[in-house]
Amino acid sequence: MTSLLVTDIGQLVTNDPALGHGILGVIENAAVVLDDGVVAWVGPAARAPQTDTASSAGGACVIPGFVDSHSHLVFGGDRAAEFEARMSGASYEAGGIRSTVRATREASDDELRARLAGFVAELGSQGTTTVEIKSGYGLTVADERRLLTLAREVTDEVTFLGAHVVPAEYAGDPGGYVDLVVGPMLDACAPTARWIDVFCERGAFDVEQSRRILTAGAARGLGLRVHAGQLGPGPGVQLAVELGAASVDHCTYLTDDDVAALAGSSTVATLLPGVEFSTRQPYPDARRLLDAGSSVALASDCNPGSSFTSSMPFCIAVAVRDMRMTPAQALWAATAGGAAALRRDDVGRIGVGARADLVQLTAPSYVHLAYRPGVPLIAQVWKDGVRV
């Protein structure tokens, strides 16, 4: 692979304060060298080394590729009617997931694969270069395994979410479903997944069921993730911190004890602005978490029920407008924060040795991601050093 110099960068966001100013490590009038899929050099354009080829950013801003650390992209069906009902006053309930389970079970592998490819293309066109994908719309041994297999075709960040909700056929025997999840389903899914997740929430799984599922996954070598605090306060955040989960996601409703626990842990609080936008629930207060010292990520939670968006720029704009984040904090959360939530140090930053995932904006500053909401600002994307 030939080396590429991306030069004439008006504002380069590195996410390394040692390289530039502020929490984003911004370098003005910068350049980056990409070689063999990684970043080989970063610095002022005037000192850039010679390379095989060069590309001018024309004074635009370049940022790391977005790291979307929470999505549900393998599913069948549509829930537009549910969204319309919510916008007419109906409340959001976790039980709507079961309608997607039915549609997903009925869909063929080719149908699901084609739809997944479309979503991945959407993500890429909007600057996302790393995405985590969960199962959770199959809820049988065979269907959960096939959803994970399809997800693995497009990303290494694959999460087993057999504990999404209790499916209809186990409505009278939730304990029996947990037995299935931690037994035959985990046996079938663990070889394909990197993570295990559980929806620790009213209408889904209680704290003891969640603990059993997570510890079973950990025993099989899977990293831990938790859905918690979406529909109301509960024990899920404390459980995530206790078990050393990489991330606890939603965090819409947090107690002071939850915030303190997160601040004293390595567990990332992953906020999902698209959910509150789509469900009309109150937005979480990101500033409260940040001021306490918590690490915060932003993710899309792209799914057909509660957040049908694949746009990380949209999530940044909403986080700045409604969650009290500064533009710099929101961009960090959507890049380096997402990487932390996946326990990765090779993505979410632009520095020597990092994966060569870059996004060139059609704007002079990263602030435009929030300043110009809804405007397509992605000019070029490089993934693993290749323009996509």
Side-chain angles (χ1 to χ4, degrees), residues 126-138:
Q126 296 173 96
T128 296
T129 52
T130 302
V131 62
E132 179 261 16
I133 301 176
K134 305 178 191 296
S135 65
Y137 291 127

Side-chain angles (χ1 to χ4, degrees), residues 201-267:
E201 191 72 70
R202 61 180 170 85
F205 298 89
D206 66 27
V207 66
E208 291 309 320
Q209 292 169 333
S210 298
R211 183 191 305 277
R212 185 180 174 204
I213 290 162
L214 292 170
T215 54
R220 296 296 298 271
L222 300 180
L224 307 184
R225 319 187 73 74
V226 180
H227 285 59
Q230 178 184 2
L231 304 179
V237 172
Q238 299 282 342
L239 178 65
V241 171
E242 174 195 335
L243 297 181
S247 180
V248 57
D249 301 19
H250 286 290
C251 297
T252 308
Y253 296 92
L254 296 176
T255 66
D256 289 344
D257 287 344
D258 292 337
V259 174
L262 285 165
S265 77
S266 62
T267 299

Side-chain angles (χ1 to χ4, degrees), residues 256-281:
D256 289 344
D257 287 344
D258 292 337
V259 174
L262 285 165
S265 77
S266 62
T267 299
V268 176
T270 299
L271 308 182
L272 310 169
V275 174
E276 283 72 42
F277 182 89
S278 179
T279 63
R280 286 183 172 160
Q281 292 176 277

